[in-house]
Amino acid sequence: MTLRISVIGIGYLGAVHAASMAELGHEVIGLDVDRDRVAALQAGHAPFHEPGFDELLQRGLDSGRLRFTSDYAELADADVHFLGLGTPQLADGMGADLGHLRSAIASLTEVLPARGGAPTLVVGKSTVPAGTSRELAATLEQVDGARLMWNPEFLREGFAVQDTLVPDRLVYGVPSGDEQDERVAMLDAVYAPILERGVTRLVMGYEAAELVKASANAFLATKISFINAVAEMCEATGADVTDVSRALGMDDRIGAKFLRAGLGFGGGCLPKDIRAFLASAEDHGVGDALGFLREVDAVNGRRRTRMVALAEETLGGLEGRRITVLGAAFKPDSDDVRDSPALEVASRLRAAGARVTVTDPEALRTAQRRIPGLCTVPDTQDALRDAELVLLLTEWREYRDLDPVATADLVASPRIIDGRAVLDPQAWREAGWEFRALGRPDSEAPEAPQNPGSSEGPVSSDEAITPGRVLSPSGVRVPA
Ligand code: UDX
């Protein structure tokens, strides 16, 4: 059955959702208040890098089933409206800013009465604090025929099309969690081709649906910070975190995914979502229950600090030193630099006086928009030329595949720090590189100093020297 669908908010989530709904055979109109974005999408230009999206967008436009607008009046005859608006972190706090969502609901409420009371489903996809759906429904459902449900989106950047068309599961939040709720059949009609592929759909109450999304992201962030906390222990004891992680991941109960140690998580979701989850728990009087998320955030932040400290330690100072940073995106296969660990490290090194060159296969335009004046070089070889230190901070395939022998010929001094634990230390060392990595031991086991009590070395501001441990001359902690 072909339905008339609108998608309000055509950022990452919304644009992919709109094109995917057209792919399923529906007639789709995407709306955004950003006219440039609307014009770009209407002209077939994806405003972001996402594998498979350009083709999907073009197919939708060519079929005549997909178009874009900035005018709410054009949404009046849609049967189903999806809300794909962003819920960024509040400028003055940790909570989620629901401003875009609320103003979209207000604009939608003005055009819905034109339906004359015909059943109209509004489906929230944004990540919101528990309680938001019930509150928004109270306003929206005053319009005759309008019904709200919450259907959180779990798509990953880089896999957005696949995650939308073949999701692990579909979560439907309705007021009482009742499977017979009229909203369920309406959304089933939208997703019929997906459900026919055997994807499980779970019906639950509004708050549970909201909490599934918040908890999923909190769990993933916690898993990453867990292994990064272990990486700190590895650095302190001389163990290799990739050994620990590989063995841990073989336990079915733990699983190997999201157990990659390194520079930690960034992006437009995990960092702000764990903070919003914590803020929401505090609002509900159970802040202690999620207090550990503060530590998850802190561990994540410390990896960035540690990388800057390692760079400084490796070069013996940063002022005027030529550093090439491989990667600007918050993860490979994306041009998104929101809260990118790589870009933050690059920016801190610049602030400390280093001459930083950043390269990335896709994210240099977005990086420059975020940090005007940043020195960017698109070609990897050019970017590496004359570097005194190379930092691998986003694990694009191209960087993982770098040949240590050929690369050594390009740089001024063969020194590299692997911030994602993806390179083979032995191969790089054999090619003459001074190779260091987050969570992995340095080549030569550091010698214990003669007089441990008086040992001092470079240490970042947030690293306390624990009793019974000392710093080696290179700053690596070793057992006393
Ligand atoms: C995330 C969730 O995965 C997705 O379900 C949700 O809808 C939106 O937020 P995304 O932001 O696209 O998706 O990125 P994700 O693949 O989850 O990676 C997040 C960050 O964690 C990246 O910076 C990545 O480099 C880092 N990461 C991931 C690690 O440091 N180690 C890992 O093992 C995995």
Side-chain angles (χ1 to χ4, degrees), residues 154-155 157 213 224 258-260 265-266 269 330-331:
F154 301 96
L155 66 79
E157 296 191 13
K213 177 61 199 263
I224 299 168
F258 274 69
L259 215 50
R260 279 183 288 110
F265 58 81
C269 293
F330 84 102
K331 70 173 193 182

Side-chain angles (χ1 to χ4, degrees), residues 7-251:
V7 179
I8 304 173
I10 43 175
Y12 215 100
L13 186 168
V16 174
H17 196 71
S20 299
M21 293 304 101
E23 183 81 1
L24 296 184
H26 301 302
E27 275 176 34
V28 183
I29 181 161
L31 178 141
D32 207 291
V33 290
D34 180 341
R35 288 172 190 274
D36 291 342
R37 180 169 280 259
V38 167
L41 284 163
Q42 189 62 49
H45 302 310
F48 45 76
H49 171 77
E50 178 63 39
F53 178 69
D54 297 38
E55 297 81 353
L56 194 72
L57 173 66
Q58 202 54 56
R59 266 205 303 280
L61 293 169
D62 291 347
S63 71
R65 288 197 307 273
L66 177 64
R67 63 198 179 87
F68 298 92
T69 185
S70 287
D71 183 4
Y72 272 90
E74 289 198 51
L75 270 50
D77 64 352
D79 308 299
V80 180
H81 301 274
F82 284 99
L83 306 171
L85 300 124
T87 50
Q89 186 172 341
L90 283 167
D92 59 353
M94 298 223 297
D97 180 354
L98 302 180
H100 301 301
L101 202 52
R102 288 193 211 286
S103 78
I105 294 272
S107 303
L108 190 59
T109 323
E110 284 174 24
V111 300
L112 287 180
R115 298 268 293 167
T120 309
L121 184 65
V122 179
V123 186
K125 296 206 72 71
S126 319
T127 305
V128 292
T132 305
S133 317
R134 207 167 288 278
E135 180 209 314
L136 296 178
T139 313
L140 188 83
E141 296 192 358
Q142 283 174 10
V143 180
D144 203 15
R147 291 286 175 269
L148 179 77
M149 68 190 293
W150 218 262
N151 167 227
E153 181 56 62
F154 301 96
L155 66 79
R156 298 159 296 167
E157 296 191 13
F159 299 88
V161 174
Q162 178 193 327
D163 286 351
T164 305
L165 292 172
V166 196
D168 290 342
R169 73 301 206 193
L170 288 163
V171 170
Y172 290 13
V174 294
S176 58
D178 179 5
E179 191 124 357
Q180 303 311 315
D181 190 293
E182 58 188 320
R183 298 165 180 83
V184 172
M186 289 173 85
L187 193 55
D188 277 354
V190 176
Y191 290 147
I194 297 177
L195 293 167
E196 280 159 18
R197 287 184 199 129
V199 171
T200 304
R201 144 300 237 161
L202 303 161
V203 181
M204 59 190 77
Y206 275 150
E207 289 76 13
E210 293 162 334
L211 285 171
V212 172
K213 177 61 199 263
S215 337
N217 278 356
F219 188 84
L220 295 172
T222 303
K223 206 170 171 194
I224 299 168
S225 276
F226 177 84
I227 197 64
N228 281 334
V230 172
E232 289 189 44
M233 272 301 284
C234 288
E235 284 158 14
T237 57
D240 187 328
V241 72
T242 65
D243 290 337
V244 180
S245 162
R246 187 158 8 105
L248 272 180
M250 286 177 183
D251 185 327

Side-chain angles (χ1 to χ4, degrees), residues 434-474:
E434 178 183 347
F435 179 94
R436 306 183 82 176
L438 288 181
R440 310 188 80 173
D442 288 340
S443 47
E444 320 88 56
E447 301 253 317
Q450 296 297 318
N451 177 2
S454 67
S455 167
E456 281 190 12
V459 61
S460 64
S461 56
D462 60 356
E463 280 183 300
I465 302 174
T466 39
R469 297 205 174 278
V470 296
L471 288 173
S472 75
S474 64

